[in-house]
Amino acid sequence: MACSEGAAANPPHVPVLLSPILAAVAPVRGTWVDGTFGAGGYARGLLDAGAERVIGIDRDPSAFALAAEWAETYGDRLTLIEGRFGDLDAHAGGPVDGVVLDLGVSSMQLDQPGRGFSFQKDGPLDMRMGDDGLSAADLVATGSEGDLADILYHYGEERAARRIARALVRARDEAPILTTRQLAGIVEGCLPRPKPGQSHPATRSFQALRIAVNDEFGQLVQGLEAAERALAPGGWLAVVSFHSLEDRIVKRFLQQRAGGGGRANRYAPETPETAPRFVPEGRAVAADAAEIAANPRARSARLRLARRTEAPAGPADRGRLGLTVLDM
Ligand SMILES: C[S@@+](CC[C@H](N)C(=O)[O-])C[C@H]1O[C@@H](n2cnc3c(N)ncnc32)[C@H](O)[C@@H]1O
C-alpha cells in the first residue's frame, strides 16, 4: 500500500542501504521486527515488499508521533512498540522471519537542538534517545576524570582523551557544562584546528558520550542475542552500523555464532566449536556511489546479513566480541 503523499515527499530521515537489504532477503515474507523504527523507512520498505506484518520498536517515543500520519494505512500489519531492541524477542512475542537493526541516531534526533546530539546546534547537553537515565550533562558533571577519559577513548577512539577529560574537569570546577556549544568549545580548545576535509574536532567526543549515555554497545549485544532467540530457522538478520566499533561487534558476533572456534586473546584456550546458529551471507555491504551522492550519511554505513539456523540460541561469549562496557 502506498504511503501518504506528504510523508513520502518530505521524508524526515532517508533510509540507508534499504535497497540491498530488500534485494538480499527477497522474496520478503512473514513477520519482521524493525528494532530501530526511526522514521519508519525500513518498516515501510518491508511492508511494501510483501512482509505480512512488521513490529516496529523504538526507544524514542517521539519517533511514533511522526509515523502517525501514514502508519494507519497499514492497519494491523504494523505494530508500534516503545522499547529497546535488546528486548526484541519479548516484544515480538513469538518466532519471526526477519530482524533489521539500523543503528545509531536518526536525522530527526540529530536535527533537533533540544536533543543535544549535535555540536553544530546549540542546545542542552542531553543526548538521551529515550526519556530515562542520565543525560550527557549528568555524565560530564559526575564522572571522574578517569571515567571520562575511558569513555572518550573506548567509545570515540579519541587519542586526546586524557587531555580532554582533564579540561572538562577543570571547566566544570568553574561552571557547570550544560550545553552542546560549551562542550564543543572545550574539546576544540584541546585539539589542533582541523585541516580541510577533516571532521570537526568534537565529532569523536560527541559520539563517545552518546554511546555511553545510551549504553549503545550493551544494547547492541543484547539485541543480537535477542534476535537469535526470536528468529525462526531460515530467518534473516540484517544490521546496518555507522562506525567501526559497532561493525566490529556485529562481525565478531556473527563469526562466533557461525560456530568457529577461536580465542578471546592469544593466551586463552581455544573455544570449542558449537553448531552454527547463524550463517553469514556474504561480506559487509557498503553504499554505492549513487546512494552516497544522494545521502552523504550513507558513506560510513556497513550492512551485515546472516540467516538463522536450527541450533538452539544461547548467550554470546562477550569476551570475544571486543566489547568494552564501562561501569560508571
Ligand atoms: C538510524 S535511526 C533508524 C532509521 C530507520 N531505519 C528509518 O528508515 O527511518 C535509529 C533509530 O533507532 C532508535 N534506537 C537506537 N537504539 C535503540 C535501541 N536500543 N532500542 C530501540 N530503538 C533504538 C533511535 O531512537 C532511532 O530512532
Side-chain angles (χ1 to χ4, degrees):
M1 203 178 295
C3 11
S4 84
E5 290 288 278
N10 288 310
H13 173 101
V14 182
V16 173
L17 289 172
L18 176 59
S19 300
I21 295 177
L22 295 178
V25 307
V28 183
R29 295 279 176 270
T31 299
W32 283 67
V33 172
D34 175 357
T36 49
F37 182 79
Y42 278 28
R44 279 150 76 166
L46 290 164
L47 287 162
D48 292 343
E52 275 138 50
R53 187 174 169 225
V54 170
I55 300 159
I57 301 170
D58 206 295
R59 69 193 292 180
D60 183 348
S62 68
F64 302 125
L66 265 174
E69 193 188 333
W70 57 267
E72 58 188 40
T73 60
Y74 292 97
D76 59 9
R77 292 175 64 208
L78 177 61
T79 307
L80 300 178
I81 297 175
E82 182 187 335
R84 298 179 187 206
F85 60 60
D87 307 315
L88 70 86
D89 55 331
H91 292 310
V96 299
D97 302 285
V99 171
V100 285
L101 298 177
D102 176 18
L103 303 172
V105 276
S106 66
S107 305
M108 294 85 70
Q109 290 165 330
L110 272 175
D111 289 346
Q112 287 170 31
R115 305 295 299 267
F117 286 110
S118 173
F119 48 80
Q120 283 162 345
K121 299 177 168 61
D122 196 18
L125 191 56
D126 193 320
M127 298 197 195
R128 290 172 301 168
M129 292 184 195
D131 41 22
D132 56 340
L134 293 184
S135 67
D138 295 332
L139 212 58
V140 169
T142 57
S144 69
E145 187 177 320
D147 286 347
L148 293 172
D150 280 346
I151 290 174
L152 297 171
Y153 183 74
H154 290 289
Y155 295 165
E157 298 184 291
E158 175 55 75
R159 282 192 287 176
R162 292 198 180 287
R163 202 182 320 147
I164 296 171
R166 206 175 312 129
L168 289 173
V169 168
R170 221 178 281 143
R172 79 185 182 194
D173 286 345
E174 302 285 319
I177 303 167
L178 300 174
T179 69
T180 52
R181 185 112 334 137
Q182 274 178 290
L183 176 67
I186 295 164
V187 175
E188 276 176 287
C190 295
L191 293 171
R193 196 185 288 271
K195 299 197 179 93
Q198 283 185 332
S199 56
H200 187 284
T203 307
R204 291 180 297 276
S205 296
F206 271 66
Q207 172 189 301
L209 283 170
R210 194 200 83 205
I211 289 172
V213 163
N214 296 290
D215 181 26
E216 290 183 35
F217 293 165
Q219 268 297 296
L220 177 54
V221 176
Q222 286 174 40
L224 294 169
E225 290 175 327
E228 183 175 301
R229 292 190 295 271
L231 282 165
W236 283 98
L237 173 64
V239 186
V240 174
S241 57
F242 286 87
H243 54 81
S244 57
L245 297 172
E246 277 174 350
D247 183 54
R248 188 175 68 187
I249 294 172
V250 180
K251 178 178 161 186
R252 291 192 181 173
F253 175 85
L254 291 177
Q255 280 171 345
Q256 189 185 115
R257 308 322 257 174
R263 295 180 159 94
N265 59 59
R266 63 193 160 121
Y267 306 107
E270 181 80 13
T271 309
E273 303 237 344
T274 53
R277 289 150 166 144
F278 277 102
V279 178
E281 292 278 328
R283 292 167 173 268
V285 177
D288 60 22
E291 181 169 0
I292 293 171
N295 183 11
R297 200 174 161 267
R299 188 176 301 118
S300 52
R302 294 291 176 275
L303 161 67
R304 290 190 186 270
L305 288 152
R307 291 195 95 165
R308 185 75 173 91
T309 69
E310 292 187 345
D317 177 350
R318 288 166 189 236
R320 288 172 56 215
L321 297 179
L323 175 72
T324 312
V325 176
L326 303 171
D327 277 331
M328 302 297 150

